PDB file of all heavy atoms in Angstrom:
ATOM      1  N   PHE A 106     -39.586  49.462  -9.994  1.00 96.00           N
ATOM      2  CA  PHE A 106     -40.868  49.946 -10.495  1.00 96.00           C
ATOM      3  C   PHE A 106     -41.483  50.875  -9.462  1.00 96.00           C
ATOM      4  O   PHE A 106     -41.184  50.790  -8.271  1.00 96.00           O
ATOM      5  CB  PHE A 106     -41.829  48.794 -10.821  1.00 96.00           C
ATOM      6  CG  PHE A 106     -42.277  47.983  -9.643  1.00 96.00           C
ATOM      7  CD1 PHE A 106     -43.395  48.364  -8.907  1.00 96.00           C
ATOM      8  CD2 PHE A 106     -41.599  46.843  -9.272  1.00 96.00           C
ATOM      9  CE1 PHE A 106     -43.815  47.614  -7.812  1.00 96.00           C
ATOM     10  CE2 PHE A 106     -42.019  46.084  -8.182  1.00 96.00           C
ATOM     11  CZ  PHE A 106     -43.128  46.474  -7.459  1.00 96.00           C
ATOM     12  N   VAL A 107     -42.325  51.767  -9.958  1.00 96.00           N
ATOM     13  CA  VAL A 107     -43.015  52.712  -9.087  1.00 96.00           C
ATOM     14  C   VAL A 107     -44.511  52.424  -9.186  1.00 96.00           C
ATOM     15  O   VAL A 107     -45.097  52.564 -10.267  1.00 96.00           O
ATOM     16  CB  VAL A 107     -42.723  54.182  -9.501  1.00 96.00           C
ATOM     17  CG1 VAL A 107     -43.456  55.142  -8.577  1.00 96.00           C
ATOM     18  CG2 VAL A 107     -41.226  54.460  -9.513  1.00 96.00           C
ATOM     19  N   PRO A 108     -45.140  51.992  -8.092  1.00 97.00           N
ATOM     20  CA  PRO A 108     -46.583  51.775  -8.110  1.00 97.00           C
ATOM     21  C   PRO A 108     -47.313  53.117  -8.277  1.00 97.00           C
ATOM     22  O   PRO A 108     -46.874  54.140  -7.748  1.00 97.00           O
ATOM     23  CB  PRO A 108     -46.879  51.189  -6.729  1.00 97.00           C
ATOM     24  CG  PRO A 108     -45.554  50.746  -6.189  1.00 97.00           C
ATOM     25  CD  PRO A 108     -44.539  51.635  -6.808  1.00 97.00           C
ATOM     26  N   VAL A 109     -48.411  53.089  -9.013  1.00 97.00           N
ATOM     27  CA  VAL A 109     -49.202  54.300  -9.238  1.00 97.00           C
ATOM     28  C   VAL A 109     -50.606  54.068  -8.681  1.00 97.00           C
ATOM     29  O   VAL A 109     -51.213  53.023  -8.917  1.00 97.00           O
ATOM     30  CB  VAL A 109     -49.283  54.644 -10.737  1.00 97.00           C
ATOM     31  CG1 VAL A 109     -50.097  55.920 -10.961  1.00 97.00           C
ATOM     32  CG2 VAL A 109     -47.881  54.790 -11.338  1.00 97.00           C
ATOM     33  N   VAL A 110     -51.074  55.051  -7.904  1.00 97.00           N
ATOM     34  CA  VAL A 110     -52.409  54.980  -7.311  1.00 97.00           C
ATOM     35  C   VAL A 110     -53.222  56.198  -7.743  1.00 97.00           C
ATOM     36  O   VAL A 110     -52.670  57.248  -8.070  1.00 97.00           O
ATOM     37  CB  VAL A 110     -52.345  54.905  -5.765  1.00 97.00           C
ATOM     38  CG1 VAL A 110     -51.663  53.603  -5.323  1.00 97.00           C
ATOM     39  CG2 VAL A 110     -51.631  56.092  -5.164  1.00 97.00           C
ATOM     40  N   ASP A 111     -54.542  56.022  -7.746  1.00 95.00           N
ATOM     41  CA  ASP A 111     -55.410  57.155  -8.083  1.00 95.00           C
ATOM     42  C   ASP A 111     -55.727  57.955  -6.829  1.00 95.00           C
ATOM     43  O   ASP A 111     -55.168  57.699  -5.758  1.00 95.00           O
ATOM     44  CB  ASP A 111     -56.665  56.682  -8.819  1.00 95.00           C
ATOM     45  CG  ASP A 111     -57.595  55.828  -7.962  1.00 95.00           C
ATOM     46  OD1 ASP A 111     -57.418  55.761  -6.726  1.00 95.00           O
ATOM     47  OD2 ASP A 111     -58.520  55.220  -8.533  1.00 95.00           O
ATOM     48  N   ASP A 112     -56.644  58.907  -6.952  1.00 92.00           N
ATOM     49  CA  ASP A 112     -56.940  59.793  -5.827  1.00 92.00           C
ATOM     50  C   ASP A 112     -57.664  59.093  -4.678  1.00 92.00           C
ATOM     51  O   ASP A 112     -57.807  59.654  -3.594  1.00 92.00           O
ATOM     52  CB  ASP A 112     -57.742  61.015  -6.283  1.00 92.00           C
ATOM     53  CG  ASP A 112     -59.021  60.674  -7.009  1.00 92.00           C
ATOM     54  OD1 ASP A 112     -59.265  59.485  -7.284  1.00 92.00           O
ATOM     55  OD2 ASP A 112     -59.785  61.602  -7.318  1.00 92.00           O
ATOM     56  N   ARG A 113     -58.102  57.835  -4.869  1.00 93.00           N
ATOM     57  CA  ARG A 113     -58.708  57.048  -3.790  1.00 93.00           C
ATOM     58  C   ARG A 113     -57.733  55.993  -3.258  1.00 93.00           C
ATOM     59  O   ARG A 113     -58.134  55.076  -2.564  1.00 93.00           O
ATOM     60  CB  ARG A 113     -59.986  56.372  -4.282  1.00 93.00           C
ATOM     61  CG  ARG A 113     -61.076  57.356  -4.656  1.00 93.00           C
ATOM     62  CD  ARG A 113     -62.299  56.629  -5.116  1.00 93.00           C
ATOM     63  NE  ARG A 113     -61.911  55.483  -5.956  1.00 93.00           N
ATOM     64  CZ  ARG A 113     -62.636  54.958  -6.910  1.00 93.00           C
ATOM     65  NH1 ARG A 113     -63.803  55.439  -7.178  1.00 93.00           N
ATOM     66  NH2 ARG A 113     -62.200  53.936  -7.611  1.00 93.00           N
ATOM     67  N   ASN A 114     -56.460  56.115  -3.647  1.00 93.00           N
ATOM     68  CA  ASN A 114     -55.396  55.192  -3.256  1.00 93.00           C
ATOM     69  C   ASN A 114     -55.566  53.799  -3.865  1.00 93.00           C
ATOM     70  O   ASN A 114     -55.041  52.816  -3.362  1.00 93.00           O
ATOM     71  CB  ASN A 114     -55.263  55.086  -1.731  1.00 93.00           C
ATOM     72  CG  ASN A 114     -53.911  54.550  -1.320  1.00 93.00           C
ATOM     73  OD1 ASN A 114     -52.911  54.812  -1.978  1.00 93.00           O
ATOM     74  ND2 ASN A 114     -53.870  53.777  -0.256  1.00 93.00           N
ATOM     75  N   THR A 115     -56.331  53.708  -4.948  1.00 97.00           N
ATOM     76  CA  THR A 115     -56.522  52.440  -5.643  1.00 97.00           C
ATOM     77  C   THR A 115     -55.359  52.218  -6.601  1.00 97.00           C
ATOM     78  O   THR A 115     -54.982  53.120  -7.355  1.00 97.00           O
ATOM     79  CB  THR A 115     -57.855  52.445  -6.421  1.00 97.00           C
ATOM     80  OG1 THR A 115     -58.920  52.659  -5.488  1.00 97.00           O
ATOM     81  CG2 THR A 115     -58.077  51.140  -7.157  1.00 97.00           C
ATOM     82  N   PHE A 116     -54.793  51.027  -6.561  1.00 98.00           N
ATOM     83  CA  PHE A 116     -53.674  50.654  -7.416  1.00 98.00           C
ATOM     84  C   PHE A 116     -54.140  50.612  -8.868  1.00 98.00           C
ATOM     85  O   PHE A 116     -55.088  49.901  -9.195  1.00 98.00           O
ATOM     86  CB  PHE A 116     -53.143  49.286  -6.986  1.00 98.00           C
ATOM     87  CG  PHE A 116     -52.046  48.743  -7.846  1.00 98.00           C
ATOM     88  CD1 PHE A 116     -50.768  49.274  -7.771  1.00 98.00           C
ATOM     89  CD2 PHE A 116     -52.281  47.689  -8.712  1.00 98.00           C
ATOM     90  CE1 PHE A 116     -49.739  48.761  -8.551  1.00 98.00           C
ATOM     91  CE2 PHE A 116     -51.263  47.170  -9.487  1.00 98.00           C
ATOM     92  CZ  PHE A 116     -49.990  47.711  -9.413  1.00 98.00           C
ATOM     93  N   ILE A 117     -53.483  51.386  -9.748  1.00 97.00           N
ATOM     94  CA  ILE A 117     -53.883  51.394 -11.157  1.00 97.00           C
ATOM     95  C   ILE A 117     -52.792  50.866 -12.091  1.00 97.00           C
ATOM     96  O   ILE A 117     -53.032  50.668 -13.271  1.00 97.00           O
ATOM     97  CB  ILE A 117     -54.343  52.792 -11.623  1.00 97.00           C
ATOM     98  CG1 ILE A 117     -53.213  53.813 -11.528  1.00 97.00           C
ATOM     99  CG2 ILE A 117     -55.571  53.235 -10.852  1.00 97.00           C
ATOM    100  CD1 ILE A 117     -53.536  55.134 -12.214  1.00 97.00           C
TER     101      ILE A 117
END
Side-chain angles (χ1 to χ4, degrees):
F106 66 88
V107 180
V109 181
V110 296
D111 66 12
D112 56 354
R113 295 181 320 208
N114 200 33
T115 301
F116 176 74
I117 63 169

